[in-house]
Amino acid sequence: MADRKTAAQIMKKKAAIKAELDRRLPEEQADGLWQKSTEKLASIMERYVDLPKGMRPHTDMRVFPSAAIYLTVKERLGEKEAYSVIEDAAVALTAGLARKLAGLMRLPGMRSLFVRIWDPMTRKIFGPDNGFKNRFYPKAKGEYRMDVLACPYCRYFTELGCPELTRIFCENDERMYGNLPGLSFERKGTLGKGADHCDFRIRRV
């Protein structure tokens, strides 16, 4: 089994999910499920020990811990409640990040800069080396467009038996970028919701 210490370190960074679990259960039960989730995460990481380095920020830090917690909680509380634990934590976490990002967008020049950095950012973080397959569009003034044709979130959530969790991460984009001042984030569909690709279009308005 993978190093349980590493799994425990990753789980410490999932405080928002732990808070949701603590809100629903007595302390002893919540802590017990958290311990089992940590053990499951270590097992999942051992299963995928040979994944490329570029995928690790997505798999080890997001996909695998979310799947481990969800699958563990699902055994105890059922699918609906387990999904709610992961989703409500994502809503709470992205709400705070979105507020900070919205504040930055009010600074002079930040909206234009934000649109411009999407191209290098997505190629570096969400490109082929990170397990994604993309379709990039020609640059246009004041906007950025890209499609994701395949992604590790969809793939590994599916392989782990919880494809439904992909939707939460699709919706995180909308929660993060959907209400930024002076910007429009437009999307017609995602892989996690049954479309054949995830479309990204962000532009100044």
Side-chain angles (χ1 to χ4, degrees), residues 15 47 57 63 79 101 163 186:
R47 175 179 170 183
V63 176
E79 180 175 336
L101 191 56
E186 301 168 12

Side-chain angles (χ1 to χ4, degrees), residues 19-105:
E20 285 298 324
L21 199 58
D22 290 341
R23 190 168 63 84
R24 290 168 166 79
L25 294 171
E27 180 179 355
E28 184 177 352
Q29 293 182 31
D31 289 349
L33 287 175
W34 201 251
Q35 181 177 352
K36 290 182 178 179
S37 298
T38 303
E39 293 168 357
K40 184 177 285 292
L41 173 59
S43 178
I44 291 171
M45 291 175 67
E46 177 67 21
R47 175 179 170 183
Y48 292 102
V49 68
D50 294 325
L51 289 181
K53 181 180 178 180
M55 295 176 64
R56 292 293 180 183
H58 299 284
T59 56
D60 293 12
M61 299 308 299
R62 295 180 177 86
V63 176
F64 295 164
S66 296
I69 298 165
Y70 172 75
L71 293 170
T72 302
V73 174
K74 181 180 175 181
E75 292 178 357
R76 172 69 173 78
L77 301 180
E79 180 175 336
K80 183 177 180 181
E81 189 72 9
Y83 188 91
S84 179
V85 168
I86 305 299
E87 183 179 45
D88 288 356
V91 170
L93 183 61
T94 54
L97 294 173
R99 283 194 298 270
K100 292 179 181 178
L101 191 56
L104 287 174
M105 292 306 104

Side-chain angles (χ1 to χ4, degrees), residues 169-190:
F169 286 83
C170 296
E171 290 165 355
N172 281 347
D173 292 335
E174 297 158 24
R175 286 187 277 264
M176 281 288 294
Y177 311 122
N179 293 291
L180 297 179
L183 294 168
S184 173
F185 179 74
E186 301 168 12
R187 169 173 282 171
K188 296 180 181 178
T190 68

